[in-house]
Amino acid sequence: MTSRRFSTALIAALIAAMTSAPASSEAGDGRRSGYLFMSPQTRAMQDDDMANPGMLTVLEGAELWSRPTGPAGRSCADCHGADGSGMRGVAARYPAFDVAEGKPVDLAGRIRKCSAEHLLIEPPAFESRPLLALMTFVAHKARGTRVTTGEDPRLSRGIETGRGLWRTRFGQLELSCAQCHDDNAGRRLGSAPIPEAHPTGYPIHRLEWQTVGSLQRRIRGCLTGVRAEPFPYGADELIALELFLMDRARGMPMETPGVRP
Amino acid sequence: MRGIRRCTGLIAAGLMAASVAADACAQVATYEIVGDGIPIPLQGAEGRADRGRAIIVDRQKGLCLLCHSGPFPEQRFMGDLAPSLEGTGSRWNAAQLRLRVVAPERLDPDTIMPAYHRAGSGARVAPAHRGRPILSAQDIEDVVAFLTTLR
């Protein structure tokens, strides 16, 4: 009896440990992070900060964060604190509603706006090294916090726009995002397992790209794959898709920097 | 080249119904569906099974193995979004196979299998593919010729 009770307790403890251990994985409600679709090697690389190549980009971002720049000699750190700890959880609520623009803005857009308005510099180009480094630094500060994007009711219109795009059949192959990522997640498209497309690890380090890349780059890749002309970087449509995906991942833990093959 | 440019102009000017213009541009063959098949080869072309096999395994051209597996021992990493092509030639005749590749949406409007011989109506078709079918009439006949050998 005693040993029976002991083993039950042990199993309960093990289950608790298993469900809380991977900072990166399940929401507990069946939704699965892209991490869980990756090979053990890729997962091990993401899990180990010494091996995760995205961590170099985080360091690069940390350096840019506190480097004074522009005519006023200001840095991000001047407004947001030297270690960026004020950024904890911020990336987990983006895209956020921008009152001045009257529409949602994603993390890239926010950093570009800060560059123009507060650092008084030409905003870093989309998908440029400095922009990705700052995005990765900020999103890394949210690692382990849960996605809250979509709680703001002003975002609901954007989310619906994103949902509509998600269900649109794109390109010469006439496939929608939903047909692959809702209806066929877990199956294989050629050699690639189709993930559920939760954006919790972005920006990710993709081995094929040999660099980090944004969620917009990933979505543009899928559009190109179905032989559609991708929306340009920064387009409202891409932001709407990002918004829809983040809302769809609400409650899941952030994992930046994710690693993908 | 000249034909294509002229057609693009027509589409832009909205002078023609899109499907008609696309047909004229990209040589989308007209065909007749009888029952659950297309009995007459597209443009009367004669299919060659060896070319059909090459198209099917080509991941830039046929794209078939992104979704299907089949008896292709040299091919690794075939997809599993669709039934294996193994034995399709004993399940379906040439007419039925032609319809399944040319217009699978006729059998199931929600299918993810692309229609391989039509100027698609997908959103934002990339310029290089606009107004063109995925496979030409000859390609379709080659693919059908190969599929009938899968017994």
Side-chain angles (χ1 to χ4, degrees):
Chain A
M1 266 327 250
T2 326
S3 76
R4 177 93 162 275
R5 209 181 304 139
F6 173 75
S7 63
T8 316
L10 185 67
I11 288 165
L14 274 176
I15 288 171
M18 274 159 54
T19 44
S20 65
S24 36
S25 62
E26 273 153 304
D29 54 11
R31 287 176 298 171
R32 287 170 299 167
S33 156
Y35 169 89
L36 291 169
F37 294 78
M38 299 301 133
S39 69
Q41 297 91 306
T42 308
R43 278 192 253 174
M45 200 186 273
Q46 175 169 324
D47 290 340
D48 177 0
D49 278 352
M50 303 304 281
N52 183 334
M55 288 308 292
L56 290 173
T57 310
V58 172
L59 290 177
E60 206 177 311
E63 201 269 322
L64 289 176
W65 178 262
S66 44
R67 187 199 290 172
T69 179
R74 264 190 225 138
S75 72
C76 316
D78 290 344
C79 290
H80 301 293
D83 63 355
S85 54
M87 290 290 122
R88 180 154 176 81
V90 168
R93 60 174 169 78
Y94 267 74
F97 191 77
D98 185 276
V99 179
E101 306 238 354
K103 62 183 188 184
V105 61
D106 65 2
L107 203 54
R110 164 56 59 210
I111 293 170
R112 296 182 83 241
K113 273 176 75 109
C114 275
S115 302
E117 291 167 12
H118 303 301
L119 302 180
L120 311 172
I121 60 171
E122 182 69 26
F126 287 109
E127 221 56 22
S128 66
R129 199 65 215 174
L131 181 57
L132 285 168
L134 285 168
M135 287 163 71
T136 311
F137 172 75
V138 171
H140 176 250
K141 293 285 173 204
R143 184 159 77 171
T145 67
R146 302 210 172 244
V147 174
T148 58
T149 308
E151 284 178 0
D152 180 344
R154 291 171 299 181
L155 294 171
S156 54
R157 235 185 68 208
I159 293 170
E160 287 319 308
T161 303
R163 194 188 314 280
L165 290 163
W166 180 255
R167 295 183 179 151
T168 300
R169 286 179 169 232
F170 281 106
Q172 192 192 36
L173 304 189
E174 298 184 49
L175 288 168
S176 71
C177 321
Q179 284 178 301
C180 281
H181 293 291
D182 287 338
D183 303 346
N184 285 291
R187 297 219 169 94
R188 275 177 183 277
L189 185 72
S191 64
I194 301 178
E196 292 174 12
H198 298 300
T200 46
Y202 282 74
I204 52 152
H205 185 100
R206 190 162 161 89
L207 301 172
E208 185 197 307
W209 297 337
Q210 301 188 336
T211 182
V212 285
S214 68
L215 181 57
Q216 292 204 4
R217 180 172 181 185
R218 176 63 261 179
I219 296 172
R220 281 166 49 93
C222 283
L223 285 166
T224 305
V226 297
R227 300 186 171 174
E229 183 173 16
F231 297 104
Y233 281 111
D236 289 345
E237 289 90 345
L238 286 179
I239 295 173
L241 278 167
E242 293 183 275
L243 183 55
F244 167 76
L245 286 176
M246 283 294 276
D247 179 58
R248 184 168 162 272
R250 206 193 293 179
M252 295 178 74
M254 292 290 288
E255 303 167 17
T256 310
V259 179
R260 298 290 183 268
Chain B
M1 250 345 246
R2 230 165 101 226
I4 287 166
R5 219 176 289 134
R6 196 166 62 230
C7 287
T8 314
L10 285 174
I11 295 171
L15 295 178
M16 263 178 152
S19 62
V20 178
D23 283 5
C25 288
Q27 292 93 39
V28 175
T30 49
Y31 52 82
E32 199 188 339
I33 299 175
V34 181
D36 76 335
I38 300 174
I40 300 176
L42 302 188
Q43 292 176 351
E46 200 171 317
R48 251 180 53 191
D50 60 330
R51 278 196 308 230
R53 188 186 196 280
I55 291 168
I56 286 174
V57 301
D58 184 335
R59 300 189 189 217
Q60 260 83 55
K61 186 160 188 188
L63 312 161
C64 313
L65 301 190
L66 291 180
C67 296
H68 291 274
S69 58
F72 307 101
E74 82 287 6
Q75 294 291 323
R76 300 182 62 210
F77 303 126
M78 295 182 271
D80 62 4
L81 304 190
S84 168
L85 294 177
E86 189 134 31
T88 37
S90 46
R91 285 194 292 280
W92 313 108
N93 63 33
Q96 291 170 315
L97 288 167
R98 194 173 289 112
L99 177 61
R100 277 155 183 75
V101 178
V102 165
E105 80 285 0
R106 294 297 187 116
L107 301 160
D108 173 5
D110 295 325
T111 187
I112 57 166
M113 164 117 179
Y116 272 86
H117 194 67
R118 108 175 141 197
S121 53
R124 298 180 68 84
V125 176
H129 301 290
R130 218 165 278 163
R132 293 160 196 261
I134 305 171
L135 292 180
S136 71
Q138 179 67 56
D139 294 338
I140 296 286
E141 292 310 318
D142 293 341
V143 164
V144 169
F146 175 72
L147 291 174
T148 57
T149 69
L150 294 178
R151 289 173 181 277

